[in-house]
Amino acid sequence: MKSIKQLGYVLMVLALMVIATGCGGGNNNTDSDDGTSGSLVVSGSSAMQPLIAAAAEEFMAENPNADIQVNAGGSGTGLSQVSEGSVDIGNSDVYAEEKEGIDAAKLVDHKVAVVGIAAAVNPNVGITDISKEDLIKVFTGKITNWKDVGGKDQKIVLVNRPDSSGTRAVFNKFGLDGGTPAEGITEDSSNTVKKILKETEGAVGYLAFSYFTDDSVKALSVDGVEAKEENVQAGKFPIWAYQHSYTKGEATGLGKSFLDYVMSDDIQSTLLKEQGYLPVTEMKVERDAEGNLKNL
């Protein structure tokens, strides 16, 4: 009987040790109460990817127990995946209300930046400015040679993004006044679009301002208005959109900490501008989901 009691005592001690180990702080891979550790998956807009990836890198450098994975794939993909719960944050160039099949009421919108988008051309097409009317004609296939808009005698090669792309949606809505682009080359990634524009004579597409980092592609001005930050902020250059980071419900834990970090003065005034984005706080106009513009 004594040996049975001793065995019971030993088993009880072992059980308590297991419980204590499970409750202890030895596991560095679990989420912390202050939201500085754990894993976070972000997907969506490729126009936003450079900014979010750079912010994630800096955040992880300051919080080594955090693991943030940033994927592209387009705004439609980001909105679908965050709605499904397969990612923590879905990045989008457009309001969730603009995407068919997305229940925007279940998502929380975090406007983290503003992006300008410009028609981008191979530098050898022979023009630097285009009228809004001719821009629409070029992308809808009514003008097929650059000589018809003052450029070289060269065939126009259209480079588009897929239907799921938020960059495409913004460009179609505010650059083409709702027009539908003609058939052309279609690429999933803005990086690939830039590469094709650089390597293809007569090519034209569209890119976020953040991709105009060298002379390999040229941003066209529209009706004499240059594709510059100050022109977007003043409401003079028409092709721009908010950069949205959506969460399913209110952001919590690491997700909230990271979004707060992106919205901090340090990131908004330094990294964001370095990456070619515009701070929301410096806009002199605002635009709603229907595209209505008003002065602030």
Side-chain angles (χ1 to χ4, degrees):
M1 178 69 92
K2 184 176 180 181
S3 61
I4 293 175
K5 288 183 179 179
Q6 289 176 333
L7 178 61
Y9 175 75
V10 170
L11 290 174
M12 181 178 69
V13 171
L14 289 173
L16 290 172
M17 289 175 64
V18 169
I19 292 171
T21 301
C23 296
N27 187 352
N28 291 326
N29 296 319
T30 58
D31 288 338
S32 65
D33 291 339
D34 62 1
T36 59
S37 69
S39 61
L40 194 70
V41 181
V42 184
S43 77
S45 165
S46 64
M48 290 181 67
Q49 188 180 26
L51 169 64
I52 300 303
E57 185 176 343
E58 292 198 8
F59 184 89
M60 288 187 289
E62 296 180 16
N63 301 282
N65 291 328
D67 178 25
I68 303 174
Q69 179 182 338
V70 182
N71 303 317
S75 297
T77 298
L79 289 170
S80 295
Q81 290 182 339
V82 74
S83 296
E84 296 164 357
S86 57
V87 301
D88 303 290
I89 296 173
N91 292 328
S92 176
D93 303 322
V94 298
Y95 280 92
E97 290 88 343
E98 297 180 71
K99 280 292 182 180
E100 187 176 350
I102 300 297
D103 187 354
K106 293 183 179 180
L107 302 178
V108 176
D109 184 9
H110 308 269
K111 297 181 182 72
V112 298
V114 168
V115 62
I117 297 171
V121 295
N122 181 285
N124 299 320
V125 301
I127 66 168
T128 58
D129 178 74
I130 192 169
S131 69
K132 184 79 169 293
E133 181 182 359
D134 284 343
L135 180 67
I136 295 171
K137 288 179 179 178
V138 165
F139 274 92
T140 56
K142 294 177 181 178
I143 292 177
T144 58
N145 193 300
W146 286 111
K147 69 179 180 180
D148 295 328
V149 290
K152 292 183 177 180
D153 184 2
Q154 193 174 69
K155 180 183 177 182
I156 294 173
V157 180
L158 296 178
V159 184
N160 280 309
R161 296 290 308 284
D163 289 339
S164 64
S165 164
T167 304
R168 174 179 173 135
V170 172
F171 185 78
N172 289 1
K173 186 171 184 177
F174 301 113
L176 307 184
D177 291 344
T180 301
E183 289 296 323
I185 300 169
T186 301
E187 290 294 339
D188 288 336
S189 164
S190 291
N191 281 317
T192 307
V193 169
K194 182 177 179 178
K195 184 174 185 293
I196 292 173
L197 295 177
K198 175 184 176 180
E199 298 174 352
T200 307
E201 292 294 321
V204 59
Y206 38 87
L207 293 166
F209 285 7
S210 54
Y211 283 88
F212 295 100
T213 56
D214 51 42
D215 296 327
S216 63
V217 295
K218 176 68 179 177
L220 294 181
S221 58
V222 179
D223 290 322
V225 180
E226 292 185 69
K228 289 186 175 180
E229 292 182 8
E230 54 265 35
N231 290 333
V232 170
Q233 291 166 341
K236 295 178 180 178
F237 188 81
I239 315 170
W240 65 271
Y242 293 109
Q243 298 287 258
H244 309 262
S245 288
Y246 280 97
T247 55
K248 190 173 185 179
E250 295 293 339
T252 59
L254 181 58
K256 183 179 186 307
S257 295
F258 178 61
L259 288 172
D260 287 345
Y261 181 76
V262 173
M263 290 302 297
S264 67
D265 289 341
D266 185 43
I267 296 299
Q268 289 283 309
S269 62
T270 56
L271 178 64
L272 187 143
K273 291 185 177 181
E274 290 169 6
Q275 292 288 328
Y277 300 88
L278 290 71
V280 176
T281 53
E282 294 185 11
M283 291 296 291
K284 299 174 183 176
V285 294
E286 67 177 3
R287 183 181 274 159
D288 63 21
E290 285 72 43
N292 300 311
L293 199 67
K294 71 175 182 178
N295 293 323
L296 291 173

